[in-house]
Amino acid sequence: VDYVAYEVGVDGMWLPQGEATARHLGRLDSRDKVSKWGNLRFVRPFNKTFSERDLIDLRTPDGWTLLRSVFEEHGYDIRPTAKAAAALGQLELIGGVDNLKVLASSKVRELLQVLSRRRGEKRPFVAERKTLKFEHFRARWGREAACDVLRWLVERRVVFRGAVLECPRCRLSGWYAIDHVAEVWRCDGCQEDSPIPLEHEKTEWHYHINELYAHGHDQGTLTPLLTLHAMSEAWGDRSSGEGLGFYPGVELQAKEGARAPFDKKELDLVALRGRDLLLAECKESTEHLAEPEKASKFAHQLADTIVLADHLGASQLLVASSTTFPVPKESLLQEAPADRSVELVWLDGCDFLDPHSFANPLAFPGANGGAGKPEGWDEEYLESLRIGLADTGG
């Protein structure tokens, strides 16, 4: 026998689409291969003396290479969407997937959404983001949660603490972050330097949103992150070896000559769970679906996404919104193919805001998120969140 093949399984890892992955690694014709079934295959001549350089070289590609390989095998090139950078930046801002639990509180989300709005609806292009006093947080969250959760948000720089100051020269009033105010402060208008007028015991602090976070409400990038949190809560236990890889925002472009159902398509969230490919269609709000014309447009969009999901061999398609669907979900499937193979899972605000361990439809298919939660659970969730942040220091 001139050649002997060795196969080494990588525990808990599935390396999909071997040929495309190997090509992206630039080692297709070299001595180590990446196989479709999760093994790294090494074929070498066995008719010469064994030496150290004949040892197998195990390498794992990065996540984007794997994701690109999955889509390439189905005739598509991919690249990040414009929203992807914002979503990943927001995830970095809060400190990773585990901290999405803070944004999943309906009470926290409510006030952060208020802060994300702009003053002066008639002139939004010049309007600044709103600010809120500490009293607003205390009234909605209670004093302890207002102190602990707000402290965490300030430490993560999701919100900034500051004060409204009036320039003694030009009389222009504006909000200034405490970080930008030292012994003197400079007016944003006339640029005059003045002594800081703050007194520690008397100053009324105002809180201002981080523009990157506010951008999430403007562009709809927070709903995919909340969907990711629901997925992580259901499947985040890596003891099974499956893990959960994800990317928020992928644009597909059909390869020349490929048999693909669409030339171009965008996906809000793509995930790999073990051998399963999962897709998500996310809407910041579904209130507009109450209008028949807009509901019909969404039904057509959803039907196209189902066709794409079947073409890609996806196991699940999640249809998610931070609000409740105002129409029967069946009415949104009028144009969907009846012989679809992908499983549809619907998620709305009740499913990923104030999540409950027994009301997650991803962990327990058929669970009713809203009906499955105890009365007053939003307050209990906020309290458990506060205790967790206080105990761990965020």
Side-chain angles (χ1 to χ4, degrees):
V1 180
D2 291 332
Y3 293 86
V4 177
Y6 295 87
E7 290 191 358
V8 181
V10 183
D11 184 34
M13 181 180 295
W14 174 61
L15 301 182
Q17 320 306 336
E19 184 176 345
T21 303
R23 182 164 56 253
H24 290 309
L25 290 173
R27 301 284 292 277
L28 183 59
D29 297 321
S30 64
R31 66 196 186 103
D32 53 336
K33 308 291 186 188
V34 184
S35 84
K36 187 172 183 177
W37 303 111
N39 300 317
L40 297 178
R41 179 176 296 167
F42 168 37
V43 181
R44 69 173 177 82
F46 202 72
N47 54 6
K48 57 184 178 181
T49 305
F50 176 82
S51 66
E52 185 176 348
R53 67 173 178 270
D54 293 318
L55 291 174
I56 189 170
D57 177 23
L58 296 180
R59 297 175 300 125
T60 56
D62 61 76
W64 183 256
T65 297
L66 284 178
L67 195 61
R68 186 169 55 161
S69 300
V70 170
F71 285 92
E72 184 173 295
E73 291 291 321
H74 292 87
Y76 282 105
D77 288 321
I78 63 169
R79 64 179 181 180
T81 64
K83 294 180 180 179
L88 291 173
Q90 289 149 8
L91 196 59
E92 179 69 21
L93 177 67
I94 66 170
V97 174
D98 290 343
N99 286 335
L100 285 171
K101 62 181 180 288
V102 180
L103 306 187
S105 166
S106 61
K107 288 184 171 292
V108 172
R109 177 182 170 86
E110 175 193 16
L111 289 190
L112 292 185
Q113 193 167 18
V114 171
L115 286 173
S116 298
R117 296 172 186 154
R118 295 186 183 274
R119 301 176 185 274
E121 298 296 330
K122 294 182 179 180
R123 302 180 68 195
F125 55 92
V126 296
E128 296 180 349
R129 302 285 182 185
K130 292 185 177 182
T131 62
L132 291 178
K133 301 176 184 178
F134 177 79
E135 292 302 318
H136 286 88
F137 295 93
R138 184 172 66 177
R140 293 295 297 143
W141 299 351
R143 183 169 186 83
E144 288 187 326
C147 290
D148 294 336
V149 177
L150 194 55
R151 181 185 301 113
W152 184 90
L153 291 170
V154 170
E155 289 173 352
R156 294 300 320 175
R157 306 186 73 78
V158 177
V159 299
F160 302 100
R161 186 175 65 160
V164 176
L165 304 177
E166 181 183 90
C167 175
R169 180 181 181 183
C170 69
R171 298 301 178 186
L172 178 68
S173 294
W175 179 88
Y176 293 83
I178 189 63
D179 292 354
H180 299 165
V181 179
E183 294 300 320
V184 297
W185 64 283
R186 177 167 295 174
C187 174
D188 285 341
C190 66
Q191 299 294 297
E192 178 75 6
D193 289 337
S194 304
I196 184 171
L198 302 181
E199 297 181 38
H200 180 71
E201 298 298 329
K202 297 181 180 180
T203 298
E204 189 172 53
W205 299 112
H206 291 67
Y207 294 86
H208 193 277
I209 196 72
N210 184 307
E211 189 62 25
L212 176 60
Y213 178 88
H215 190 66
H217 283 295
D218 291 343
Q219 301 298 318
T221 57
L222 291 175
T223 300
L225 293 182
L226 288 173
T227 304
L228 172 62
H229 180 251
M231 297 165 69
S232 179
E233 287 291 290
W235 306 320
D237 183 8
R238 289 166 176 77
S239 62
S240 64
E242 291 181 329
L244 181 66
F246 66 91
Y247 201 87
V250 173
E251 181 182 287
L252 284 65
Q253 180 70 53
K255 288 177 168 291
E256 185 176 354
R259 298 181 62 182
F262 306 101
D263 291 335
K264 197 172 184 179
K265 191 72 173 169
E266 285 193 10
L267 295 170
D268 295 323
L269 180 65
V270 175
L272 286 172
R273 182 196 177 207
R275 293 174 180 243
D276 294 330
L277 173 67
L278 304 102
L279 312 178
E281 175 71 30
C282 303
K283 296 293 183 184
E284 182 69 14
S285 172
T286 54
E287 295 174 356
H288 64 289
L289 299 183
E291 301 178 31
E293 183 178 345
K294 293 181 178 179
S296 177
K297 183 178 179 181
F298 179 71
H300 181 74
Q301 176 187 351
L302 185 56
D304 285 350
T305 306
I306 291 173
V307 171
L308 177 64
D310 280 346
H311 173 75
L312 296 172
S315 61
Q316 285 188 328
L317 172 61
L318 296 104
V319 186
S321 172
S322 60
T323 60
T324 301
F325 289 89
V327 295
K329 299 180 179 67
E330 294 75 16
S331 67
L332 300 174
L333 297 175
Q334 293 178 354
E335 298 187 40
D339 59 346
R340 60 183 178 272
S341 58
V342 67
E343 177 191 0
L344 261 66
V345 180
W346 300 83
L347 298 170
D348 61 23
C350 292
D351 295 312
F352 52 55
L353 292 177
D354 307 317
H356 193 281
S357 57
F358 296 107
N360 189 328
L362 296 175
F364 303 97
N368 189 328
K373 298 176 184 177
E375 185 177 352
W377 172 249
D378 55 342
E379 295 182 3
E380 291 185 41
Y381 181 83
L382 180 63
E383 177 61 13
S384 65
L385 176 65
R386 179 197 73 79
I387 294 173
L389 294 177
D391 289 345
T392 62

